[in-house]
Amino acid sequence: MKTVSRMNAATQQNQPFPFSPQTGAPMAVPADETSPFQLLGFSVLLVFIFLAFSRVFDVKFGNLHITGIAYHIVFAMAILSRGFQIALRSNIGKALLGFTFCFGLSVPFSIWRNGSKAVFVNSWLTFSFVAFLAVAGLVHNYQQWFKLFKTLTYALLAFTIIANVFGVSDNGRLFLEQGKFGNPNEMAQALLLGLPLWGAMMVISKTLPGKVFAVGVMVLILATTFRTGSRGAMIGFVVTLLVVFLRAPVMGKLKIIIAGVLFLSIVLTTMPGRLIARYKTVADEEADDGEMDPSMRASAVSSTASRKQLLKHSLIFTMQHPLLGVGPGMFEVADDAYSKTIGLRKGSWLGTHNSYTQVSSELGIPAFLFFAAAVAMALRGSYAIYKRTRGDPRLEDMGNAALGLHYCLVIYAVTILFDHIAYTVMLPVFGGMAASLVRTAELEIQRIQSTPPPVSMSTTMFHDYLAVRSSQGQAV
């Protein structure tokens, strides 16, 4: 009996942590096998993502067509590596496949079939949808996913610098004269998406200079975003900040309040008064303290009135054509015809300024449901990974990266209420990032958690560990 007791005591002393749950054999993790097509495709995907989001060739050397070359290689590798099959097996992939089916089905019933066919083939099928297949299918493991995450993060920093160096102001609003971001609202959304990514980089960074650099980038992104005068971006920022505030612990809420006051002070002292006056029109259309010049005030008022009318018309078309819509890209044409029937000389020839009603009015309600489902599942999937990693210090960086992506998707979901960009590459790329994160993070979590916790733990790690263990015990 004494021998048995000594053996039991020795066994307990050799446990990696006295209170750790019993672990069985390590969970099997698939071998890390990659094909040459996947390796080449992923490498070129990094180049494509950086160029597509930094917009380097919008301002310099556009005649080199490097972005297009990278895109075609990525497309080929997604097919040859069968990465497209991996992408389409995800829930987000199934939703976007359903959206694509409804998209294509609406073309023959469009009020102008040739125009809709061009939108479907050129804008969506052979570009944006391919981007999703590549991002969701060519990322093989979590290490590759995090490399793609950092590439996208630095691409948006490069875009912020380009916006400040090459941007011009019209009525005080910042935009790029050439390329994709001639629209200040769309430019503001792209800029704002970099904010949570750099927030994640700040938390992940282990050095003080790294954290300070990330904070500086976040301030630059915010200042540049607000220079666009985009009220939709401002609302997206406020909503995201509110979500972060509500989820934060008490001390976290205090830090957010302090940071918010400091930032607001900087904005009020550095931003031109006419831009501040424009932002005030969000709460009060008649707000004008004399700072806006007549052209800016007229633009702000007419923009608000136009958006209301366009929203109303898009909802009318949704009800009139609930299954297949008026046709991809045909809202402007339908709006012009409808405006004439109600006694107006012509339509506004503007888009819906709302991506949700852009889809419902042009493609029908089934397409809208698939589109909304893709957004919702991307939001839920990225946040689920964050929750899955909480309490384990070994997975802290993964959780912060997942949370950064989640808040990017929050910004996207809110800001597309104020711009018609449903067919652009934004949702396919960020949705693809969420799909590949869910797939690769699960294997990485299994690999890491199959190894016992470290022998020594800090006080904070100890309490986090016990809290998670206690909650797991209650769940059982």
Side-chain angles (χ1 to χ4, degrees), residues 130-188:
V130 169
F132 168 77
L133 297 179
V135 173
L138 288 177
V139 177
H140 183 72
N141 52 46
Y142 176 74
Q143 287 70 31
Q144 287 188 342
W145 183 89
F146 189 65
K147 190 177 293 186
L148 182 61
F149 176 88
K150 290 196 294 185
T151 299
L152 181 57
T153 302
Y154 280 98
L156 290 171
L157 168 59
F159 174 56
T160 304
I161 295 172
I162 287 172
N164 281 279
V165 174
F166 296 98
V168 297
S169 295
D170 180 19
N171 288 331
R173 301 187 67 189
L174 182 69
F175 66 97
L176 291 175
E177 288 186 299
Q178 301 176 352
K180 178 180 174 63
F181 293 111
N183 183 336
N185 295 317
E186 193 171 349
M187 179 177 173

Side-chain angles (χ1 to χ4, degrees), residues 262-299:
L262 289 174
F263 174 72
L264 187 61
S265 301
I266 294 173
V267 168
L268 292 177
T269 55
T270 60
M271 185 178 292
R274 55 182 178 172
L275 278 181
I276 296 175
R278 178 182 173 84
Y279 284 122
K280 289 179 181 178
T281 61
V282 173
D284 183 2
E285 293 180 24
E286 301 300 323
D288 186 4
D289 51 12
E291 293 287 349
M292 283 193 290
D293 55 51
S295 61
M296 176 176 276
R297 187 181 188 285
S299 173

Side-chain angles (χ1 to χ4, degrees), residues 391-455:
D392 192 331
R394 300 168 297 176
L395 299 171
E396 184 179 12
D397 289 351
M398 179 188 292
N400 289 323
L403 191 61
L405 177 62
H406 173 74
Y407 284 126
C408 278
L409 288 159
V410 171
I411 290 173
Y412 175 82
V414 175
T415 53
I416 61 174
L417 285 165
F418 309 99
D419 206 355
H420 50 285
I421 55 173
Y423 313 147
T424 67
V425 78
M426 288 295 184
L427 177 59
V429 168
F430 284 95
M433 289 282 290
S436 57
L437 172 65
V438 170
R439 173 172 52 83
T440 61
E442 185 60 35
L443 295 177
E444 184 71 1
I445 291 170
Q446 291 177 13
R447 183 186 68 80
I448 291 174
Q449 291 187 336
S450 66
T451 304
V455 175

Side-chain angles (χ1 to χ4, degrees), residues 186-442:
E186 193 171 349
M187 179 177 173
Q189 185 211 44
L191 288 165
L192 199 58
L193 289 171
L195 188 64
L197 297 183
W198 277 101
M201 292 294 284
M202 177 196 68
V203 178
I204 290 172
S205 177
K206 301 299 186 290
T207 65
L208 180 60
K211 291 182 181 296
V212 171
F213 178 75
V215 170
V217 172
M218 292 169 68
V219 172
L220 178 62
I221 287 174
L222 277 173
T224 309
T225 301
F226 279 88
R227 285 178 61 199
T228 64
S230 172
R231 292 170 292 184
M234 185 194 71
I235 294 173
F237 171 69
V238 171
V239 170
T240 304
L241 191 63
L242 180 61
V243 174
V244 174
F245 181 81
L246 293 175
R247 289 174 173 175
V250 175
M251 289 303 298
K253 287 181 170 64
L254 181 60
K255 292 177 182 179
I256 292 171
I257 292 173
I258 294 173
V261 171
L262 289 174
F263 174 72
L264 187 61
S265 301
I266 294 173
V267 168
L268 292 177
T269 55
T270 60
M271 185 178 292
R274 55 182 178 172
L275 278 181
I276 296 175
R278 178 182 173 84
Y279 284 122
K280 289 179 181 178
T281 61
V282 173
D284 183 2
E285 293 180 24
E286 301 300 323
D288 186 4
D289 51 12
E291 293 287 349
M292 283 193 290
D293 55 51
S295 61
M296 176 176 276
R297 187 181 188 285
S299 173
V301 173
S302 64
S303 174
T304 302
S306 175
R307 286 172 185 270
K308 290 181 178 179
Q309 184 182 55
L310 292 169
L311 176 62
K312 179 182 177 181
H313 288 186
S314 65
L315 293 174
I316 290 173
F317 299 156
T318 300
M319 295 300 101
Q320 290 178 343
H321 307 272
L323 293 180
L324 298 171
V326 298
M330 293 300 111
F331 174 81
E332 292 91 337
V333 179
D335 179 64
D336 181 62
Y338 179 76
S339 297
K340 291 176 181 177
T341 63
I342 60 176
L344 300 177
R345 188 169 64 87
K346 63 175 183 177
S348 61
W349 287 97
L350 296 172
T352 60
H353 286 289
N354 184 310
S355 293
Y356 297 108
T357 61
Q358 177 191 14
V359 173
S360 66
S361 63
E362 293 186 353
L363 308 183
I365 293 176
F368 162 78
L369 294 176
F370 280 118
F371 179 82
V375 174
M377 285 189 288
L379 281 164
R380 185 177 63 184
S382 54
Y383 194 65
I385 295 299
Y386 165 69
K387 291 195 296 183
R388 179 97 156 73
T389 58
R390 280 190 302 185
D392 192 331
R394 300 168 297 176
L395 299 171
E396 184 179 12
D397 289 351
M398 179 188 292
N400 289 323
L403 191 61
L405 177 62
H406 173 74
Y407 284 126
C408 278
L409 288 159
V410 171
I411 290 173
Y412 175 82
V414 175
T415 53
I416 61 174
L417 285 165
F418 309 99
D419 206 355
H420 50 285
I421 55 173
Y423 313 147
T424 67
V425 78
M426 288 295 184
L427 177 59
V429 168
F430 284 95
M433 289 282 290
S436 57
L437 172 65
V438 170
R439 173 172 52 83
T440 61
E442 185 60 35

